[in-house]
Amino acid sequence: MPAALLLLERNLLIYRHTWYLLLAEVLEPMLYLLTIGVGIGQLVGHVPGLDDHGPAGGIGYSVYVAPALLATAAMNGAMNETTFNMFSKLKLQRVYDSILATPMTVYDVAVGEVCWALLRGVLITLGFLAVVGAFGLVHSVWILLVVPGAALVGFAFASVGLAVVTYLRNWADFQFIQLAMLPMFLFATTFYPLGVYPRPIQIAVECLPLYQSIQLIRLPALGQPGTALLLPAVYLLLMGALGLRIALPRMQRLLLH
């Protein structure tokens, strides 16, 4: 682990000079919040069945959407690092060839990159959380659980991204990632409650990792912490462990042969 932390330190030193790139990743969820959460929210009004606040019952639509975008920010921040950025390091910059000439192992590289991607996802989430607070969309002190929640989301998606990048052959293959991520973003209760779907679709949505990530963030953000958080937490831990289990042997073959 100490060797893996050296790789984390290396990435921190690099991003010390390019920190503004993290701010750029805060911009995307902020635009969704403004256009859909606030804009369309003026037409939607309140989301019923989640709380008893508001003149028509339910919670404000922008309050409902904001935690989902926080979870999405953690997901994208972590997975972009272990897919897009790592692909460049693997195929173009050949960064790991020089790193593995040191006492560091492939395991150290994998753990170090996952730790950095996790931290990156948390930093982006914290940046967007500041935006959410500035818009007055924080209504519960339990929203502080967003930080460990974002770390868990980051771990799960960073580990899966690490496995995915070992299968990518060229930049065109990134279209397959978008083919999976975009529908998941749209259907995983980001903008609509689960109850709007027929039961068979609800079951499919509940299996999506982004849905579980949103649950982990949304419930405490709405002031509803409790045992319901256990399922998404276990789901994401197992997802991250499985991602690492697949990624490590494939990285061994990719980097040492």
Side-chain angles (χ1 to χ4, degrees):
M1 178 62 81
L5 293 180
L6 291 176
L7 185 60
L8 175 62
E9 181 183 2
R10 171 194 177 275
N11 289 332
L12 283 170
L13 289 172
I14 292 173
Y15 266 84
R16 183 179 59 180
H17 303 289
T18 56
W19 56 269
Y20 52 86
L21 295 176
L22 299 180
L23 292 181
E25 293 203 43
V26 175
L27 181 62
E28 180 182 355
M30 185 174 72
L31 291 176
Y32 278 114
L33 181 62
L34 286 170
T35 56
I36 298 179
V38 177
I40 295 179
Q42 296 298 314
L43 302 175
V44 173
H46 292 79
V47 181
L50 297 173
D51 203 344
D52 55 3
H53 300 299
I59 61 169
Y61 184 66
S62 55
V63 176
Y64 174 79
V65 169
L69 294 177
L70 284 166
T72 303
M75 174 187 74
N76 288 337
M79 194 160 181
N80 284 347
E81 180 62 33
T82 53
T83 52
F84 288 96
N85 293 345
M86 247 190 103
F87 183 81
S88 179
K89 293 177 184 178
L90 281 168
K91 302 294 185 178
L92 301 179
Q93 303 172 24
R94 312 295 296 185
V95 169
Y96 302 118
D97 291 349
S98 56
I99 289 177
L100 291 175
T102 72
M104 291 188 68
T105 66
V106 173
Y107 173 83
D108 296 326
V109 169
V111 173
E113 291 291 10
V114 167
C115 288
W116 164 240
L118 182 160
L119 178 60
R120 191 172 184 270
V122 171
L123 290 174
I124 292 169
T125 304
L126 285 173
F128 183 56
L129 180 59
V131 173
V132 170
F135 277 91
L137 301 178
V138 175
H139 297 289
S140 171
V141 70
W142 289 108
I143 202 168
L144 294 176
L145 291 179
V146 162
V147 179
L152 191 50
V153 173
F155 166 67
F157 281 96
S159 299
V160 168
L162 194 71
V164 167
V165 78
T166 63
Y167 288 93
L168 300 178
R169 300 160 298 177
N170 50 54
W171 291 108
D173 285 348
F174 280 91
Q175 296 180 50
F176 295 111
I177 297 178
Q178 295 304 314
L179 187 63
M181 299 290 280
L182 182 57
M184 182 168 65
F185 172 63
L186 294 175
F187 281 92
T189 69
T190 311
F191 303 111
Y192 314 103
L194 188 65
V196 304
Y197 301 118
R199 185 54 189 160
I201 296 180
Q202 288 182 23
I203 294 172
V205 169
E206 288 170 343
C207 294
L208 296 175
L210 182 56
Y211 170 79
Q212 298 296 336
S213 302
I214 290 173
Q215 287 294 96
L216 189 65
I217 301 297
R218 179 177 276 152
L219 290 176
L222 298 182
Q224 301 172 12
T227 56
L229 297 177
L230 291 176
L231 176 60
V234 171
Y235 179 106
L236 293 170
L237 279 172
L238 292 176
M239 174 180 164
L242 179 61
L244 283 176
R245 178 67 183 84
I246 295 172
L248 284 171
R250 291 191 58 82
M251 286 192 67
Q252 287 277 359
R253 292 193 295 268
L254 191 64
L255 293 174
L256 299 181
H257 295 90

